[in-house]
Amino acid sequence: MVKFIADSAGDLTSFSGVDYETVSLVLSTDERSFVDDEKLDVHEMLEYFYSHHGRSQTACPSTQAWIDAFAGADEVYAVTITSGLSGTFSGANVAKEQYLEEHPDAKICIVDSLATGPGEVLLLEKMVELKKAGKSFDFISKEIIKYRDSLRLFFGLSSLHNLAANGRVSKIVASAIGIINIKIIGTASKEGVIDPIAKCRGEKKLIEHLIEEIKKAGYKGGKIRICHVENEKLSKAVIDGLKKLFGEIDLISIPARGLCSYYAERGGIIIGCEC
Ligand code: X90
């Protein structure tokens, strides 16, 4: 059996037409923990975190969770959140080694997205497309790295609180944000860490700036995937702006699941594009 897998930072709960599984990250405080699976009520989770004043943190999936997802497969294509910010990729590789000891003939390709959310979606779609086109495991394993390196990820956030509190951006970068109506625009660096680009005031400026950055990155009308945190309106405005410039685009926008919602925070948007 062939299986496609993404961790829950990939923001998908299903993937039509293929055997697809997600492996959940976990979010917690001293009092509660949330498994980022399809049963998670993201809105309720966000309400809880915003009313909770103590520490909160996240954890990558266990080795066993990956092994359970591999179960039954002899060919696996998996994608993880960036290794620059999470131990998920390295955990998945530990699971791969263990699984291969018991299933020496299995083939497992795990791609480090060097991104999150929509970057993972694009990678998964590409692996499904290549497999459906009859390409070999070795071909797909190489091709997907080239494809990954052609993708870009941008984001617009209203708060960096959870990223800074968990050491994923420097406190210096974060300190300017959190002021009412100030937004931050950034991108995923080549190494898969957060690279802040600019600050701006208000959602209108944010939309203009995001579109400008996407243009500057050399975007010419390729596929775009968007994940937003309870901000359909912003996502729609970005989509309208892009369509005005580039015409019809293969574009899908989905609500973020737990992990990306926690870090991108309410109102946040993450955009992955083929450049
Ligand atoms: O292992 C773990 O506990 C998970 C840690 C994840 C940390 C960062 C997640 C960021 C999600 C923020 C905007 C997009 C930035 C992407 C840069 C590569 C969303």
Side-chain angles (χ1 to χ4, degrees):
M1 194 207 327
V2 181
K3 266 191 182 176
F4 294 88
I5 306 174
D7 59 47
S8 62
D11 293 320
L12 290 166
T13 47
S14 64
F15 198 106
S16 68
V18 297
D19 262 307
Y20 171 69
E21 297 216 17
T22 51
V23 177
S24 302
L25 285 95
V26 180
L27 303 96
S28 62
T29 64
D30 295 343
E31 293 155 5
R32 271 186 83 173
S33 85
F34 299 85
V35 178
D36 190 12
D37 62 16
E38 69 285 352
K39 293 195 285 290
L40 177 68
D41 179 341
V42 174
H43 182 74
E44 194 265 331
M45 180 201 81
L46 286 173
E47 295 279 303
Y48 169 75
F49 279 119
Y50 285 117
S51 65
H52 176 84
H53 295 296
R55 270 190 57 82
S56 57
Q57 58 271 310
T58 60
C60 53
S62 65
T63 309
Q64 192 56 46
W66 283 103
I67 292 180
D68 291 347
F70 297 156
D74 43 35
E75 198 172 325
V76 172
Y77 298 94
V79 57
T80 72
I81 183 170
T82 173
S83 63
L85 298 174
S86 170
T88 302
F89 177 68
S90 99
N93 279 291
V94 171
K96 168 178 164 175
E97 294 314 317
Q98 286 187 20
Y99 189 80
L100 289 178
E101 272 171 30
E102 295 196 358
H103 306 87
D105 296 330
K107 294 184 168 110
I108 302 181
C109 164
I110 302 172
V111 190
D112 176 359
S113 69
L114 299 176
T116 184
E120 295 187 51
V121 175
L122 286 167
L123 286 163
L124 205 67
E125 287 178 352
K126 179 57 96 185
M127 291 194 283
V128 170
E129 179 192 314
L130 292 169
K131 183 67 201 168
K132 283 192 171 156
K135 303 294 180 200
S136 71
F137 176 83
D138 292 339
F139 179 87
I140 299 173
S141 306
K142 286 199 193 90
E143 199 59 24
I144 199 65
I145 299 297
K146 275 195 235 156
Y147 181 68
R148 175 195 66 193
D149 295 339
S150 74
L151 300 176
R152 290 294 306 273
L153 191 89
F154 295 94
F155 57 83
L157 310 181
S158 304
S159 165
L160 293 175
H161 178 268
N162 289 338
L163 282 168
N166 287 288
R168 261 74 183 195
V169 290
S170 84
K171 295 232 160 46
I172 302 163
V173 172
S175 65
I177 320 301
I179 304 164
I180 213 103
N181 223 9
I182 296 293
K183 318 275 177 201
I184 184 158
I185 290 172
T187 187
S189 73
K190 282 202 168 15
E191 297 74 34
V193 297
I194 291 174
D195 194 356
I197 299 174
K199 280 175 284 174
C200 61
R201 190 180 291 274
E203 217 152 84
K204 196 164 166 276
K205 284 266 164 25
L206 176 70
I207 296 160
E208 287 168 14
H209 214 124
L210 275 170
I211 294 174
E212 197 49 45
E213 285 304 322
I214 292 171
K215 251 173 42 188
K216 259 187 12 208
Y219 175 76
K220 296 204 173 52
K223 265 163 95 173
I224 293 193
R225 299 292 176 259
I226 296 179
C227 299
H228 63 85
V229 188
E230 304 194 325
N231 205 346
E232 189 90 54
K233 195 168 142 263
L234 172 61
S235 172
K236 198 171 170 321
V238 171
I239 293 172
D240 289 347
L242 286 166
K243 285 191 173 163
K244 240 183 234 150
L245 287 175
F246 298 100
E248 272 314 301
I249 300 171
D250 175 348
L251 196 154
I252 296 171
S253 168
I254 53 173
R257 291 175 61 174
L259 195 277
C260 284
S261 294
Y262 171 79
Y263 282 109
E265 301 203 34
R266 227 179 240 148
I269 189 168
I270 313 174
I271 306 169
C273 36
E274 292 182 346
C275 278

